[in-house]
Amino acid sequence: MSTTDTLLRAVREIEPIIRQHAPEAERERKLAAPVAKAMHQAGLYRLWRPKAFGGFELDPISGFRVIEEVSRIDSAAGWNLQISVAHDMFALWFSDQGAREIFNFDAIPVGAFNPARKAVPVAGGYRISGRTSYVSGAHYATVFIGFAHIHDRNKLRVNAYGMPETRLIAVPASEVDIVDNWHTMGMRGSGSHDVDIRDVFIPEHWVAPWEPSVKPGSAYQGPLYRLTVWPAFAILVASALGIARAAIDEAIDLIINKTPAYGAKTLKSHAVVQSQLAQAEAKLGASRAFLFGAFEEAWQEAVTERPITLALKGRMQLAMTHATLECAKAVSLIHEIAGASGIREEYPFERYLRDIHVIAQHGFTNANKLESVGQIMLGLDLDWMFLRF
């Protein structure tokens, strides 16, 4: 049995715990503690951690599959898990000492990158201040990852291009304050509250220049880390795949058993229902195949140590955005099928709809990213992500 199969079996073993506490996550606007504990004990936070640190160092698609399966069970659990797994991919920017301390065996790294915090150089390190929004999984994190701009006293330091000098930073969870302000339409259980840091000292090796990683740390020499930030961006799409899968599966059960009000025909005998169900399945299946295909191509390039071309980066971005948008369309079709059952809280359809459309607004995968793909296809100027990473 492969490592991926073992991890998927571990997910199924803790599925009852995840399902039991899903309503609590929705109600309390954060992942339930027993779920975080169960995922930690199952090793799920270590999907992309290097083997040198006790991780599994899975290939991207295997990581996607695990997150997809957890998200099928509960969106909050899947989203919290993918955020942490994604942030492991930022470890290769840090020194060996920093990576070993920050991303240790028990680490649950999370973070957000906008707005950047303020970093003031002091003897032995930096003093960090600032508040950052949308920090999913904040309540169970061991460390927070993010950006900071360097300030000399009160003056922003800029580089030769007039841009702020930016650092990738890590701050221990014990040094931050979580601001309870996550009140949203969907993805309520993600616990994506603001995090406030007030004049906290971090040592020099918990800070790294934010630039293309030329020489990753000694634990990060494998092919996974040659893909740099791309798996970290794409893994959030796995949550969308899981939600869409759950919605379709739940709809099939409803369709088989429901007779709509004011009608004699069962729901499954309606042609429009049959058609919409098939369309939803096609949207999910096709977009999943495109995503996995693009990242399998990138993985093979990384394994053979060939550079990731600009065209392939565009293909990965297109697959990410396409999958997110198609999953949202698939769930919308399912919501139409559900009819009045789609508006009642005792059924899961209203939550699927809310959650998937919140994910579709994410800055890394929303419809605006299609512009960058079109620019690549037309040979136009690009934004920094495609050119640098």
Side-chain angles (χ1 to χ4, degrees):
M1 181 178 289
S2 70
T3 300
T4 304
D5 290 335
T6 300
L7 288 165
L8 289 170
R9 184 174 64 181
V11 172
R12 289 190 288 273
E13 288 174 351
I14 65 173
E15 180 171 351
I17 298 173
I18 298 174
R19 289 195 181 279
Q20 177 187 350
H21 293 280
E24 178 184 341
E26 186 79 354
R27 183 177 64 252
E28 299 298 327
R29 297 170 295 112
K30 64 179 182 180
L31 188 67
V35 176
K37 181 179 179 180
M39 293 197 300
H40 189 273
Q41 291 177 337
L44 301 184
Y45 288 103
R46 294 182 278 115
L47 299 182
W48 285 347
R49 197 156 300 161
K51 293 178 180 178
F53 295 166
F56 299 106
E57 206 169 321
L58 294 180
D59 64 274
I61 294 172
S62 293
F64 298 165
R65 288 180 61 201
V66 175
I67 301 301
E68 178 185 33
E69 181 63 9
V70 176
S71 300
R72 180 191 64 80
I73 301 167
D74 176 51
S75 60
W79 189 264
N80 274 258
L81 181 60
Q82 68 84 15
I83 283 291
S84 182
V85 172
H87 279 81
D88 255 292
M89 295 299 297
F90 291 89
L92 62 159
W93 272 266
F94 291 90
S95 67
D96 281 357
Q97 181 184 1
R100 187 169 55 252
E101 293 178 7
I102 299 164
F103 300 91
N104 58 64
F105 182 85
D106 288 321
I108 302 178
V110 307
F113 297 89
N114 187 51
R117 299 179 175 97
K118 178 180 179 181
V120 178
V122 295
Y126 295 83
R127 300 205 73 88
I128 307 296
S129 299
R131 179 166 164 174
T132 301
S133 303
Y134 299 104
V135 187
S136 303
H139 291 84
Y140 305 107
T142 61
V143 64
F144 291 87
I145 312 299
F147 290 151
H149 294 328
I150 305 299
H151 286 70
D152 296 309
R153 296 183 180 177
N154 290 320
K155 184 178 180 181
L156 177 66
R157 187 188 299 179
V158 297
N159 59 25
Y161 302 98
M163 301 298 293
E165 283 201 18
T166 303
R167 299 290 186 271
L168 184 65
I169 64 167
V171 179
S174 59
E175 300 288 347
V176 312
D177 294 317
I178 298 173
V179 182
D180 188 348
N181 65 350
W182 184 242
H183 301 280
T184 58
M185 177 188 80
M187 294 304 297
R188 294 171 183 167
S190 69
S192 305
H193 301 272
D194 285 12
V195 166
D196 198 15
I197 299 174
R198 303 176 186 178
D199 196 33
V200 172
F201 173 80
I202 58 173
E204 181 72 39
H205 60 277
W206 281 46
V207 177
W210 180 239
E211 58 189 20
S213 183
V214 178
K215 294 182 179 180
S218 59
Y220 296 89
Q221 298 299 308
L224 172 64
Y225 309 110
R226 296 184 196 124
L227 296 174
T228 66
V229 296
W230 288 97
F233 296 157
I235 198 169
L236 68 89
V237 183
S239 289
L241 296 176
I243 292 170
R245 179 75 270 155
I248 293 171
D249 291 348
E250 193 78 26
I252 291 172
D253 184 65
L254 179 76
I255 292 166
I256 291 172
N257 294 290
K258 180 178 179 179
T259 299
Y262 311 110
K265 294 174 63 178
T266 60
L267 197 58
K268 67 181 180 182
S269 65
H270 286 252
V272 66
V273 169
Q274 299 161 2
S275 174
Q276 288 182 313
L277 178 65
Q279 289 178 60
E281 182 67 32
K283 289 179 180 297
L284 172 59
S287 61
R288 184 178 188 266
F290 185 20
L291 178 72
F292 284 18
F295 275 84
E296 176 61 27
E297 183 179 351
W299 173 248
Q300 293 304 321
E301 295 296 283
V303 167
T304 54
E305 300 189 45
R306 291 193 293 266
I308 306 302
T309 65
L310 186 59
L312 182 50
K313 292 177 184 179
R315 182 174 171 83
M316 287 189 288
Q317 180 64 68
L318 180 59
M320 289 156 52
T321 298
H322 177 261
T324 304
L325 298 179
E326 288 298 284
C327 283
K329 292 175 183 177
V331 174
S332 292
L333 284 168
I334 294 302
H335 193 262
E336 289 181 19
I337 292 172
S341 299
I343 66 171
R344 300 185 66 89
E345 290 186 351
E346 60 262 39
Y347 293 96
F349 301 108
E350 57 88 25
R351 183 179 175 189
Y352 296 146
L353 185 73
R354 290 187 289 105
D355 287 352
I356 199 71
H357 282 282
V358 168
I359 291 176
Q361 300 301 316
H362 197 285
F364 288 150
T365 59
N366 66 27
N368 292 332
K369 300 305 292 185
L370 295 174
E371 178 183 357
S372 299
V373 179
Q375 290 169 347
I376 291 174
M377 296 173 68
L378 295 171
L380 302 175
D381 292 336
L382 298 168
D383 66 30
W384 63 272
M385 185 177 74
F386 290 93
L387 295 174
R388 299 184 69 192
F389 298 101

